[in-house]
Amino acid sequence: MEASESRNRAEPGRSGPTRRTRDSSSQSDSRIQGHGHRLSKANLFTLLSLWMELFPQETPEEDEDHQVRRVGLVVVREGKVLGLHCSGAELHAGQEAIIQHGSRLADCQLYFSRRPCATCLKMIINAGVSQISFWPGDPEISMLKRTSTNHSNSHGPPHSVTEEAALDAVATEMLKSNSRPPIRVLLQPLPLGLLQFVDESSRCCDFMERMAGDDPGLDTEELFDRERTRHLKDFSRQFLVATSQQHQKILTQMGLENFSVEPYFSNLRHNMMELVQLLAAVAAGLPQQRYGFHREQLSPPSPPPGQEEVPQEVAWHCINQARLLAFRTEDPKVGVGAVIWAKGQSAGCNGTWCLSLVGCGYNAYPAGSHYAEYPHMDNKQEDRQRRKYRYIVHAEQNALTFRTKDIKAEEPTMLFVTKCPCDECVPLIRGAGITHIYTSDQDRDKDKGDISYLRFGSLKDISKFIWQQSPSVSSAPSPHLHNGCVGKHNRMTEHESHSSKKLCTDRSLESPTVS
């Protein structure tokens, strides 16, 4: 559910009437029983906004006590993502969105990782957006900073509210009370079982399988658990206010006193922790120790200046954006997500290393269709008419179809996709003008009958960056063959590879304790 904090504020925790209607923001009707392991649109956009707040900084802040917090922002229209933004060195996320989209923000829904400041809020309201949502932690103008940012002269209490934060809270409340678009606090819980599904999927994803194949002695279970614990600690510190008492005080000072009382406050904290746990599980699926996205030997030679690959931390972040999108999939077996970024000097992308969003998507059935109208069986079914492959729209296809801007020949355009592009998508990728692909090659050169991956290797005019060991780790040739498998023939069948693709569904989810 979502709780409104507009002029007619709804009671926190109260959901609307239950109706059997199609979700207008969904690509297809998901009312059918058994389709519960899927992110809702509201949860997906919220998670993307939280993740955008963590976008790697080109120039890290020197002053950790700086009062303005970084913010992530997702711009949505009619259920489609139009923009992914985060705060830069000079501009806030909301200001970045205003500069890039301008009047095109009219009728859009905006999802912030925390409440925006009054400066951003007044421009966003003025642009005519239809809805503003934020996650209610410490706001953009932080209420958890010292009265003085001078470490040698900080005599005040460590968590006192500064005058600037207090003034901004008053201005924000007045703007909220007089605004036409509803301003909402997100309180939507994850579907039952989704957190465990994300955990198990991440443990067995293509990126973890690559690491296990390269090093059979590697304990990937222990590695994943260690990475998840580390990320959970970091993300909790970022998004969960230090203590419950401080959080309750902040909610009251933000004009959200209704949310600071029980049982709404406990529900709020619980929902926040669930999203943090999901983010930690997704990030743990790509352990960065000794691995990264490195140029394939068959890729084009050194590119011209300005078209080099993005830094490893940016590539890692963008692949995890795609992995979040993959958990919105309508394919009950294989979730695929894709994000396309263009590198240039476009306005409104200073916080994202001069990258601007071209499009993003996940594999799903055609827009407007009902979930039960199409087959869901994979190619282990003998009856080919009952297989899904002719009906699923692939993640790359959705990202290109619903792109937010044209692909320009002079701008490097980078596709980040969670699975090796198949033969159906390769011509589209080449024809669209994609210049870089970041992916796993676990399915390379496999022929599965209804879907094959034989053309990916022929993409010699596109720079391919594959998840693999860093060249500096070892100069010895990797046992990992070009098809992404160890010691198997290139044209691998689905039957031969099935055992390596099972989810570890018998594992129970153990959430690390965060102090």
Side-chain angles (χ1 to χ4, degrees), residues 169-182:
V170 172
T172 300
E173 179 68 22
M174 186 174 294
L175 286 164
K176 178 192 68 178
S177 299
N178 291 283
S179 68
R180 291 182 301 275

Side-chain angles (χ1 to χ4, degrees), residues 336-340 358 394-401 403 407 413-440 452-453 455-464:
V336 182
V339 181
I340 305 174
V358 174
H394 299 188
E396 302 97 315
Q397 295 168 355
N398 272 319
L400 289 169
T401 300
R403 63 184 183 274
I407 295 176
T413 305
M414 307 174 183
L415 167 66
F416 299 86
V417 60
T418 60
K419 201 169 188 63
C420 177
C422 70
D423 291 355
E424 190 176 320
C425 292
V426 164
L428 293 170
I429 293 169
R430 181 188 282 117
I434 300 294
T435 59
H436 299 64
I437 297 177
Y438 291 78
T439 188
S440 164
S452 58
Y453 302 87
R455 287 178 156 185
F456 181 70
S458 68
L459 278 172
K460 297 182 175 59
D461 53 341
I462 296 179
S463 297
K464 290 174 282 189

Side-chain angles (χ1 to χ4, degrees), residues 325-510:
L325 286 159
F327 289 108
R328 175 66 186 167
T329 184
E330 294 176 348
D331 185 335
K333 181 182 179 227
V334 180
V336 182
V339 181
I340 305 174
W341 290 91
K343 185 177 181 182
Q345 297 300 323
S346 302
C349 56
N350 292 328
T352 53
W353 295 71
C354 294
L355 297 176
S356 58
L357 182 70
V358 174
C360 60
Y362 49 86
N363 53 334
Y365 293 98
S369 59
H370 288 263
Y371 180 74
E373 290 176 340
Y374 293 110
H376 300 101
M377 304 300 179
D378 57 32
N379 55 340
K380 286 183 288 299
Q381 296 292 320
E382 293 184 2
D383 183 1
R384 293 187 65 188
Q385 291 185 350
R386 297 178 59 195
R387 298 177 187 173
K388 62 190 177 184
Y389 296 101
R390 296 182 185 273
Y391 308 101
I392 289 281
V393 182
H394 299 188
E396 302 97 315
Q397 295 168 355
N398 272 319
L400 289 169
T401 300
F402 300 109
R403 63 184 183 274
T404 64
K405 58 179 287 187
D406 292 333
I407 295 176
K408 301 177 181 179
E410 66 273 14
E411 289 185 349
T413 305
M414 307 174 183
L415 167 66
F416 299 86
V417 60
T418 60
K419 201 169 188 63
C420 177
C422 70
D423 291 355
E424 190 176 320
C425 292
V426 164
L428 293 170
I429 293 169
R430 181 188 282 117
I434 300 294
T435 59
H436 299 64
I437 297 177
Y438 291 78
T439 188
S440 164
D441 66 348
Q442 285 295 103
D443 284 329
R444 170 186 288 217
D445 294 337
K446 294 180 184 177
D447 185 357
K448 301 183 179 181
D450 288 275
I451 186 169
S452 58
Y453 302 87
L454 305 178
R455 287 178 156 185
F456 181 70
S458 68
L459 278 172
K460 297 182 175 59
D461 53 341
I462 296 179
S463 297
K464 290 174 282 189
F465 295 86
I466 308 302
W467 177 255
Q468 56 189 313
Q469 281 188 354
S470 171
S472 61
V473 172
S474 174
S475 58
S478 171
H480 201 84
L481 302 182
H482 285 303
N483 66 346
C485 304
V486 179
K488 293 194 177 183
H489 193 273
N490 284 2
R491 291 178 65 89
M492 172 177 275
T493 65
E494 173 71 13
H495 177 73
E496 291 173 311
S497 63
H498 175 62
S499 61
S500 66
K501 291 295 182 183
K502 281 186 177 180
L503 289 180
C504 311
T505 52
D506 58 342
R507 168 180 289 274
S508 61
L509 176 63
E510 298 176 0

